[in-house]
Amino acid sequence: MTERKLRVATTSLAGCFGCHMSLLDIDERLFDLVQLVEFDRSPLTDIKHCGPCDIGLVEGGVCNAENVHVLREFRRNCRILVAVGACAITGGVPALRNNIDLWDCFQECYQYEPGTAGHVIPDDPELPLPFDKVRPIYEVVHVDYYLPGCPPPADAFWQLITDLAAGRVPKLEPAMIRYD
Amino acid sequence: MTHPLETAAHPETLRRVVIDPVSRVEGHGKVTLLLDADNRIQQARLHIVEFRGFEKFIQGRPYWEVPVLVQRLCGICPVSHHLAASKAMDMIVGATELTPTADKMRRLLHFGQILQSHALHFFHLSSPDLLFGFDADVARRNVVAVAAARPELVRQGVLLRKYGQEVIRVTSGKRVHGSCAIPGGVNKHLTPAERDYLLADIDRTVAWSRDAVALIKQLYAERKDFHNGFGYFKSAYVSLVRADGALDFYHGGLRARKADGELLFDHADYATYWDRIFEVTKPWSYMKFPYLRDLGPEDGWYRVGPLARINNCAFVPTPLAEAERIAFREFDHGSATHANLAYHWTRMIEMLHAAEGIHALLRDPDLLAGELVVKGTRAERGVGVIEAPRGTLIHHYRVNEDDQIVRANLIVSTTHNNEAMNEAVRQVALRYLDGTEVTEPLLNHIEVAIRAYDPCLSCATHALGQMPLEVAVVDAEGRTVDALRRDSDGAVRRPSEIAA
Ligand code: SF4
């Protein structure tokens, strides 16, 4: 292969990392994958900020100001941005808190629990501002592709990346399109 | 509960250094350090920066939905949440004792989870530090570089994780977020074909797990004093143990051992964990700080996970792993038994035990036939506790007569280790960064200390957030004075330089 490798960044916003696990579930194909792509910022590398990339894979919705910052950085740097999994596409399970007042959530978690001795609700400036609603990423940035599933199957990741690497529009078999 | 270096008196006069995000851990963490004009560390903190609100939004959902829903807190150890919630729901439906089939199917699933999670942590996340050194070039500190240097080793790591994931898929239908356990039992048997499929690769899985223990033992011994002393401190330990004191990931009573080795309590019923474990919150992290009530908030913090379990148990109930436990305990007159980096070693011993456990279970006819579910008298309160890959995991629910959840409380494994990880950050910061110019490799030392715990910042968010790791340096007044960020090009910059 003479062509340069695609550069891929991945991140988890308000997600559970299950989508990243499913990417790793390509198992031995990981060795073929690294012939095609190299990783920029990702939980697998120590690169802390996304640089210019071909593909950005975003897991999880947007639940705080820091998520917006990271998401915009990805959009600025990635030629193709993919919303990966139910959380990035719809908000997912974390968005179950959307019809509840955020302050009620904080009180439930930090003030009412059995055996909780100190009753402070964390509010340090180092903690990013939480939003009242968890939002899908398309409400914040333009998204090029959506990879559905909770998580999307490993084969779907493989298909997406190999199609893009070959310059094709990604095409998924019906069995790879999951709404679980 | 405050510790030296936890809070600086005058942060506004200090320079802030931040590691954000902490990488090669699962979830989001951030470390902040505060330094004075002479680069002396005044404050060091590990922050968990996301908040989920699970305990609130679960209210009103039907109880039988919880074991499936709660997995979505964490995609790294979804099985642990699935099982802990199911054990709580067993109490709700009055299933005091499960059928042998249900018990063994769940144990098989759980062994698969321990195996894949421990393999992931060692091979995919931590091996670059252990093989290349903590101050290796940023570009090399990832599994791809390890694969280039040691292809056979990484191939085994990938296939070990794959095997654990396949055990999970076969027992629960999916590798991530499947469903096996239901209130009162499980929803399937293993078919003979599925059993034979898993049997095909089990021997090499045991053999490679053994090799992994040998490798970490050799790496550890090569730089014994450095590894023993890295961020060193003593602590109490908490884990479940079986009635005979054996290591048991799935069920048992709570055992707490003080730092001096004396037992604080033993075989305590976890259904009333709140008599033993309290939590405090601190304004600077969404992750709470649990402590042992008998020891009080100052001294009562403790560690959980592989090191705690291996130190706490009387023996490991499989022969190869038990031999390795003894070797670990006896290593250099017991000098490794409190070491942060001994987490890696004990994690591999547990991986070997999981492989041996699967090996033994797969031949058990109860997996192929037998009753799946039992029910009894409905109860209002359910508590489920298991030993997840990262340590003791507590799920606690109350359910009303309409089958809705009214209250929920979770204490996840990583939360128990909150104070310990902060202590490790402080010790490493003092030893390696105090009074020197902060550099990127030095910051990685802090991350290495955190990584030893295999923190799952996704879970830790349960208290409804995700744990971001950032290192900030704050001044004596508590203001953040400095931050360092590692960018895509590998360069380390201060925020002031980035803003400029
Ligand atoms: S889509 Fe599912 S697997 Fe992916 S982050 Fe969300 S909950 Fe986790």
Side-chain angles (χ1 to χ4, degrees):
Chain A
M1 177 154 327
T2 52
E3 288 181 23
R4 89 178 164 88
K5 290 183 182 179
L6 289 184
R7 206 164 164 85
V8 177
T10 79
T11 189
S12 172
L13 306 176
C16 78
F17 267 69
C19 291
H20 275 83
M21 288 303 103
S22 197
L23 170 60
L24 288 180
D25 280 338
I26 61 174
D27 299 330
E28 307 95 299
R29 284 177 286 176
L30 205 53
F31 294 100
D32 304 324
L33 182 72
V34 298
Q35 301 303 318
L36 293 176
V37 309
E38 57 190 9
F39 284 98
D40 193 273
R41 172 182 168 155
S42 161
L44 293 175
T45 71
D46 280 351
I47 299 170
K48 308 289 187 184
H49 287 270
C50 177
C53 282
D54 299 289
I55 307 174
L57 304 177
V58 178
E59 164 195 308
V62 174
C63 78
N64 64 30
E66 166 76 13
N67 290 160
V68 172
H69 182 81
V70 172
L71 183 56
R72 291 213 169 116
E73 185 178 272
F74 265 65
R75 180 67 275 183
R76 258 199 319 277
N77 284 293
C78 300
R79 219 159 37 82
I80 298 169
L81 193 74
V82 187
V84 169
C87 297
I89 296 172
T90 70
V93 166
L96 285 176
R97 77 162 164 84
N98 282 4
N99 52 2
I100 301 165
D101 185 71
L102 181 60
W103 189 246
D104 286 349
C105 284
F106 275 119
Q107 287 194 318
E108 181 71 30
C109 298
Y110 293 104
Q111 306 206 304
Y112 299 148
E113 284 188 4
T116 303
H119 287 325
V120 288
I121 290 178
D123 62 352
D124 192 89
E126 289 291 353
L127 303 176
L129 180 74
F131 293 163
D132 61 340
K133 303 254 190 280
V134 180
R135 298 183 183 279
I137 66 169
Y138 72 80
E139 290 192 16
V140 181
V141 295
H142 172 75
V143 172
D144 298 298
Y145 292 106
Y146 295 85
L147 199 62
C150 181
D155 287 344
F157 280 99
W158 179 250
Q159 189 74 36
L160 175 93
I161 294 172
T162 48
D163 277 352
L164 289 174
R168 293 187 294 261
V169 173
K171 209 161 182 283
L172 299 187
E173 296 288 314
M176 288 182 209
I177 300 179
R178 300 286 297 258
Y179 298 95
D180 46 1
Chain B
M1 167 153 106
T2 53
H3 299 265
L5 294 192
E6 184 185 308
T7 302
H10 295 283
E12 72 287 355
T13 64
L14 300 179
R15 197 161 59 83
R16 172 178 177 270
V17 176
V18 58
I19 304 174
D20 183 15
V22 175
S23 48
R24 286 184 287 129
V25 299
E26 297 117 353
H28 313 149
K30 142 175 155 180
V31 175
T32 58
L33 306 173
L34 294 189
L35 311 174
D36 66 14
D38 302 321
N39 286 325
R40 316 293 314 198
I41 306 274
Q42 301 296 325
Q43 177 178 304
R45 291 171 170 177
L46 164 63
H47 309 261
I48 301 299
V49 294
E50 274 189 33
F51 172 83
R52 287 276 179 271
F54 170 82
E55 284 96 335
K56 185 70 183 175
F57 70 62
I58 199 72
Q59 292 175 4
R61 314 287 310 189
Y63 74 83
W64 41 262
E65 191 185 82
V66 174
V68 181
L69 196 152
V70 75
Q71 308 186 74
R72 269 82 180 174
L73 288 179
C74 177
I76 324 256
C77 52
V79 167
S80 312
H81 290 290
H82 180 63
L83 288 176
S86 297
K87 284 179 80 176
M89 297 317 160
D90 293 343
M91 280 175 76
I92 298 287
V93 300
T96 42
E97 196 170 340
L98 298 191
T99 66
T101 298
D103 183 72
K104 288 169 186 171
M105 281 296 286
R106 288 186 184 188
R107 285 177 181 272
L108 178 63
L109 172 66
H110 195 32
F111 276 138
Q113 159 86 345
I114 299 269
L115 179 61
Q116 72 85 12
S117 176
H118 282 2
L120 172 81
H121 184 260
F122 185 70
F123 293 99
H124 297 69
L125 300 177
S126 282
S127 66
D129 297 323
L130 299 165
L131 290 168
F132 299 151
F134 302 173
D135 40 20
D137 185 55
V138 173
R140 280 188 90 205
R141 291 201 316 256
N142 56 66
V143 65
V144 178
V146 179
R150 305 276 298 264
E152 179 55 22
L153 179 71
V154 174
R155 195 180 74 90
Q156 289 179 8
V158 164
L159 292 176
L160 281 169
R161 175 178 180 276
K162 176 186 181 180
Y163 187 81
Q165 289 287 77
E166 284 295 277
V167 170
I168 294 171
R169 185 185 62 77
V170 164
T171 44
S172 75
K174 274 169 77 188
R175 282 182 167 202
V176 179
H177 303 332
S179 154
C180 165
I182 53 176
V186 296
N187 58 17
K188 71 168 289 209
H189 295 109
L190 224 53
T191 66
E194 288 167 339
R195 181 203 50 197
D196 294 344
Y197 168 70
L198 292 178
L199 275 173
D201 286 335
I202 186 60
D203 288 333
R204 77 171 191 199
T205 301
V206 173
W208 287 347
S209 300
R210 232 179 149 175
D211 293 346
V213 182
L215 173 65
I216 183 66
K217 195 157 55 172
Q218 174 213 330
L219 291 171
Y220 196 97
E222 274 168 11
R223 299 182 69 199
K224 180 188 72 179
D225 295 335
F226 174 71
H227 289 142
N228 274 342
F230 188 73
Y232 183 83
F233 55 87
K234 284 187 165 189
S235 77
Y237 297 101
V238 169
S239 68
L240 292 181
V241 290
R242 204 164 76 180
D244 58 0
L247 176 72
D248 194 328
F249 296 134
Y250 178 70
H251 194 63
L254 286 168
R255 172 178 282 181
R257 195 185 286 285
K258 294 196 278 188
D260 62 9
E262 200 190 317
L263 287 183
L264 181 68
F265 54 78
D266 201 6
H267 303 298
D269 182 2
Y270 64 62
T272 51
Y273 69 91
W274 55 82
D275 289 338
R276 311 277 180 183
I277 295 172
F278 269 34
E279 293 180 289
V280 288
T281 55
K282 297 187 182 189
W284 47 270
S285 181
Y286 285 126
M287 188 156 71
K288 294 174 190 176
F289 292 81
Y291 63 90
L292 294 166
R293 188 178 175 175
D294 295 346
L295 300 181
E298 289 299 323
D299 305 319
W301 57 280
Y302 54 90
R303 288 188 273 190
V304 300
L307 183 66
R309 289 188 288 245
I310 294 295
N311 279 338
N312 255 358
C313 72
F315 64 98
V316 180
T318 52
L320 298 177
E322 170 62 3
E324 293 298 343
R325 182 194 71 87
I326 293 169
F328 167 73
R329 295 282 300 173
E330 288 176 351
F331 173 75
D332 192 33
H333 314 291
S335 67
T337 52
H338 288 285
N340 285 301
L341 295 177
Y343 266 92
H344 294 293
W345 187 345
T346 47
R347 194 171 286 120
M348 290 300 96
I349 297 173
E350 289 193 341
M351 185 169 81
L352 177 58
H353 171 56
E356 288 183 282
I358 294 168
H359 189 277
L361 258 180
L362 282 178
R363 287 166 174 85
D364 195 311
D366 287 339
L367 293 176
L368 305 181
E371 283 296 311
L372 295 176
V373 188
V374 289
K375 293 253 156 72
T377 320
R378 246 310 275 277
E380 186 203 359
R381 186 194 294 279
V383 178
V385 178
I386 64 160
E387 285 294 329
R390 292 154 190 81
T392 314
L393 169 66
I394 301 173
H395 278 224
H396 174 189
Y397 303 95
R398 266 183 37 220
V399 177
N400 67 18
E401 63 247 26
D402 295 326
D403 290 353
Q404 290 171 299
I405 302 290
V406 240
R407 297 297 302 281
N409 185 35
L410 313 190
I411 306 180
V412 302
S413 320
T414 297
T415 301
H416 297 286
N417 282 334
N418 196 356
E419 192 60 61
M421 289 189 293
N422 271 284
E423 181 66 15
V425 167
R426 292 189 291 260
Q427 293 300 333
V428 169
L430 261 190
R431 169 68 182 75
Y432 297 98
L433 283 87
D434 197 43
T436 65
E437 190 60 39
V438 175
T439 63
E440 195 279 334
L442 286 176
L443 290 179
N444 188 49
H445 280 61
I446 291 183
E447 296 185 73
V448 167
I450 295 166
R451 242 170 245 140
Y453 292 84
D454 188 15
C456 183
L457 310 183
S458 300
C459 290
T461 321
H462 101 88
L464 319 195
Q466 269 167 318
M467 165 161 116
L469 178 69
E470 167 176 301
V471 182
V473 184
V474 273
D475 66 15
E477 302 283 297
R479 274 161 307 211
T480 301
V481 288
D482 193 16
L484 274 193
R485 306 210 316 207
R486 187 153 59 208
D487 286 352
S488 183
D489 53 6
V492 179
R493 300 188 180 88
R494 305 219 143 79
S496 52
E497 298 165 299
I498 295 161

